[in-house]
Amino acid sequence: MGRRALRFLLLLFLAPWATIALRPALRALGSLHLPTNPTSLPPLAKNYSVLYFQQKVDHFGFNTVKTFNQRYLVADKYWKKNGGSILFYTGNEGDIIWFCNNTGFMWDVAEELKAMLVFAEHRYYGESLPFGDSSFKDSRHLNFLTSEQALADFAELIKHLKRTIPGAENQPVIAIGGSYGGMLAAWFRMKYPHMVVGALAASAPIWQFEDLVPCGVFMKIVTTDFRKSGPHCSESIHRSWDAINRLSSTGSGLQWLSEALHLCSPLTSEDIQHLKDWISETWVNLAMVDYPYASNFLQPLPAWPIKVVCQYLKNPNVSDLLLLQNIFQALNVYYNYSGQAKCLNISETATGSLGTLGWSYQACTEVVMPFCTNGVDDMFEPHSWNLKELSDYCFQQWGVRPRPSWITTMYGGKNISSHTNIVFSNIHNIKDLEPTQMPINDRLDKENVARIYHGILCSHDKDEFMSFSGTWMKLEIIILSKLTQEQKIKHHTFSLVSGS
């Protein structure tokens, strides 16, 4: 359970938030120049400078002077010293160039906002290693890997930019991030409101801590994606776990499974739980990169990859052998859509650009997010949330014990009403999701929530979705414009909720 929980914690933060988000200032949509029907993933952004800034290893102690170089990227093609702004990407758990090249929204709005784009790498990820090759040596070296230290890095970097770039000193800064980076963007505005005039926190699960939301919500949403993408798709996946158990109970069954799934190494009986975890992680990955366009963020994938996967999982009432052959075809969409893989490696589910070691430590210390499944409301095998097992695993792995209540103590949990100018963009179909599946939006002041009534997010009609995305992006740029141009007006906290 311990290792399994950590792997799902990593998976939660994989998907980029690039195309959708923001708050209401509903006016003059036609004056904006964003595409209303984007048809593909934004092209890789190459026009940036790679720079480094010397940061303190410990911002909160006074008995060490050790420093390290934090990497950051700057793109100023459209930046104007007069009337411009700074969009500051709060880097998350991976290589900043990888995230930069897979981020579309900031590049789309840069010209309209006359914005300088800054992508800051999170400490202990990419090249920003406080102790170089020894950064992950032990818990003593990892002791400075916290969200608080990362936020302090961002604050110091912004001070540096405003001090050293002519024309930047008095320009407004907006923090932008997605997933874990979205959490950081929100927390940055909360803790350093004098540094940023606002924050866009896209798909930021700041309530996925302690018992603020049910532990099974995330996997239930994943299941809903598969259920809506094809008839009996989630049922086939649900039935596959028992089929694997039955086939793996004999030596010949293990050999057959290894060959049928085209695995790189033959299975032993000790590998079966790992195999099922790997398959589960694959379904979670697909849910998080189920884009309406072809992409290669985690793997080369077609548009709406879950729909493609579900074409192979239409009939759950077949023999175990045929069901697992169909499961292989579905897995092959994710791992071998390009046709270049000779076998499937159950030790790999995502890109090496993610910092799995660093995230493992963070999930063992302060980013303790409960996940569970029950096999009834979701398509997975039942697994309860067991903090003790996680704690024992973390102590064995890193010599540390998690502090499950620290994040809510530090950042307030659900008590965020005193914070302003934070845009939480969590897109859901209100008709089908329970309130607990929209953890931010249901607690905000109703006057500051814009509801866009479209039923197209769950229709899986590509043209309709793209039209909606373009409209949503127009709303985003309106709000960013207002945040940068009207800093002295009354502040609000906003959220956009998509419903039908």
Side-chain angles (χ1 to χ4, degrees):
M1 173 64 193
R3 181 183 296 272
R4 186 176 191 275
L6 285 179
R7 291 170 71 157
F8 276 120
L9 284 174
L10 173 64
L11 290 173
L12 178 62
F13 295 104
L14 293 182
W17 54 277
T19 51
I20 308 174
L22 265 145
R23 112 186 182 196
L26 302 179
R27 60 182 175 91
L29 286 179
S31 67
L32 303 174
H33 308 296
L34 291 173
T36 56
N37 289 285
T39 56
S40 64
L41 184 68
L44 294 183
K46 300 178 181 179
N47 190 21
Y48 52 74
S49 300
V50 180
L51 302 166
Y52 296 86
F53 175 62
Q54 191 175 69
Q55 292 280 10
K56 292 182 175 64
V57 170
D58 183 11
H59 292 286
F60 307 110
F62 295 90
N63 66 344
T64 178
V65 294
K66 183 170 177 57
T67 61
F68 72 99
N69 286 327
Q70 178 188 22
R71 182 169 58 165
Y72 66 100
L73 317 176
V74 173
D76 58 3
K77 177 179 179 180
Y78 297 110
W79 179 55
K80 302 295 182 185
K81 295 181 180 180
N82 296 321
S85 59
I86 299 173
L87 302 184
F88 188 91
Y89 182 90
T90 49
N92 28 341
E93 72 290 10
D95 187 292
I96 194 60
I97 290 179
W98 182 66
F99 279 110
C100 172
N101 287 343
N102 283 281
T103 297
F105 174 71
M106 288 173 63
W107 298 93
D108 290 333
V109 303
E111 183 174 9
E112 193 84 9
L113 294 177
K114 304 173 185 177
M116 176 192 301
L117 308 183
V118 179
F119 295 82
E121 190 161 67
H122 194 299
R123 57 170 52 204
Y124 286 87
Y125 294 102
E127 294 184 3
S128 301
L129 303 177
F131 297 97
D133 294 339
S134 299
S135 295
F136 303 99
K137 182 179 180 180
D138 51 39
S139 59
R140 183 173 64 86
H141 289 82
L142 281 161
N143 193 48
F144 307 100
L145 174 51
T146 66
S147 61
E148 302 95 305
Q149 295 279 6
L151 295 181
D153 288 340
F154 298 155
E156 290 290 346
L157 178 56
I158 290 175
K159 284 176 58 179
H160 167 73
L161 295 174
K162 291 200 165 194
R163 185 173 60 248
T164 58
I165 299 178
E169 181 179 3
N170 296 316
Q171 291 208 336
V173 181
I174 296 176
I176 298 180
S179 210
Y180 172 53
M183 298 162 73
L184 292 172
W187 294 337
F188 193 34
R189 169 63 183 171
M190 294 175 188
K191 294 297 184 181
Y192 296 87
H194 56 293
M195 288 287 181
V196 292
V197 301
L200 164 55
S203 300
I206 67 168
W207 286 1
Q208 190 70 41
F209 294 94
E210 296 189 281
D211 58 353
L212 298 184
V213 296
C215 63
V217 162
F218 179 73
M219 303 304 276
K220 183 177 179 181
I221 294 173
V222 171
T223 299
T224 299
D225 286 346
F226 282 81
R227 177 170 55 82
K228 290 187 174 182
S229 296
H232 307 296
C233 188
S234 61
E235 296 173 51
S236 295
I237 292 173
H238 187 270
R239 189 180 178 278
S240 70
W241 310 121
D242 283 341
I244 292 174
N245 291 338
R246 286 189 290 267
L247 286 168
S248 63
S249 63
T250 66
S252 59
L254 284 170
Q255 181 180 351
W256 184 90
L257 269 175
S258 302
E259 295 172 355
L261 297 178
H262 295 243
L263 301 182
C264 296
S265 301
L267 291 169
T268 66
S269 57
E270 289 77 20
D271 296 326
I272 297 307
Q273 187 58 55
H274 180 52
L275 170 70
K276 291 187 291 185
D277 289 346
W278 172 74
I279 294 174
S280 295
E281 292 172 18
T282 305
W283 306 142
V284 172
N285 277 5
L286 280 162
M288 292 191 295
V289 293
D290 194 29
Y291 305 135
Y293 43 72
S295 67
N296 61 358
F297 179 60
L298 298 182
Q299 301 280 357
L301 291 171
W304 297 120
I306 294 182
K307 288 190 70 175
V308 179
V309 162
C310 287
Q311 292 176 1
Y312 299 103
L313 302 174
K314 295 179 179 179
N315 187 0
N317 299 313
V318 295
S319 68
D320 289 351
L321 298 182
L322 182 55
L323 179 60
L324 268 298
Q325 288 172 338
N326 293 340
I327 289 291
F328 164 72
Q329 295 295 337
L331 293 170
N332 213 39
V333 172
Y334 181 79
Y335 290 106
N336 195 27
Y337 189 71
S338 64
Q340 298 179 356
K342 296 181 180 180
C343 60
L344 305 188
N345 185 348
I346 65 173
S347 297
E348 298 177 357
T349 58
T351 174
S353 295
L354 288 166
T356 54
L357 280 176
W359 188 252
S360 171
Y361 179 82
Q362 286 190 265
C364 275
T365 50
E366 61 175 2
V367 189
V368 184
M369 307 177 77
F371 289 93
C372 62
T373 55
N374 61 18
V376 177
D377 298 314
D378 55 66
M379 63 186 187
F380 300 93
E381 284 192 303
H383 287 281
S384 61
W385 170 250
N386 191 318
L387 179 60
K388 183 180 184 305
E389 286 187 14
L390 175 66
S391 179
D392 290 344
Y393 170 80
C394 292
F395 188 77
Q396 178 184 16
Q397 184 75 10
W398 298 111
V400 296
R401 300 279 185 185
R403 297 181 185 176
S405 63
W406 178 242
I407 287 291
T408 56
T409 301
M410 184 69 181
Y411 301 113
K414 290 189 176 183
N415 185 18
I416 61 173
S417 59
S418 62
H419 302 297
T420 61
N421 286 358
I422 301 173
V423 182
F424 293 101
S425 59
N426 300 308
I427 298 211
H428 297 296
N429 183 305
I430 293 176
K431 180 179 179 181
D432 297 316
L433 294 184
E434 301 172 2
T436 53
Q437 293 172 302
M438 299 177 292
I440 298 301
N441 301 314
D442 59 351
R443 287 298 185 92
L444 296 177
D445 185 339
K446 291 182 179 179
E447 295 181 0
N448 295 332
V449 177
R451 297 182 183 271
I452 308 301
Y453 288 92
H454 288 277
I456 59 180
L457 277 181
C458 292
S459 70
H460 281 195
D461 184 291
K462 181 176 180 180
D463 293 335
E464 286 184 335
F465 184 95
M466 289 300 190
S467 177
F468 174 84
S469 297
T471 301
W472 200 277
M473 289 173 67
K474 287 183 176 182
L475 292 175
E476 295 175 330
I477 196 172
I478 286 175
I479 296 154
L480 294 185
S481 295
K482 289 193 66 75
L483 285 177
T484 58
Q485 294 171 9
E486 302 178 21
Q487 297 182 60
K488 296 182 180 180
I489 66 172
K490 181 180 179 182
H491 297 304
H492 297 282
T493 299
F494 293 95
S495 175
L496 279 189
V497 181
S498 167
S500 61

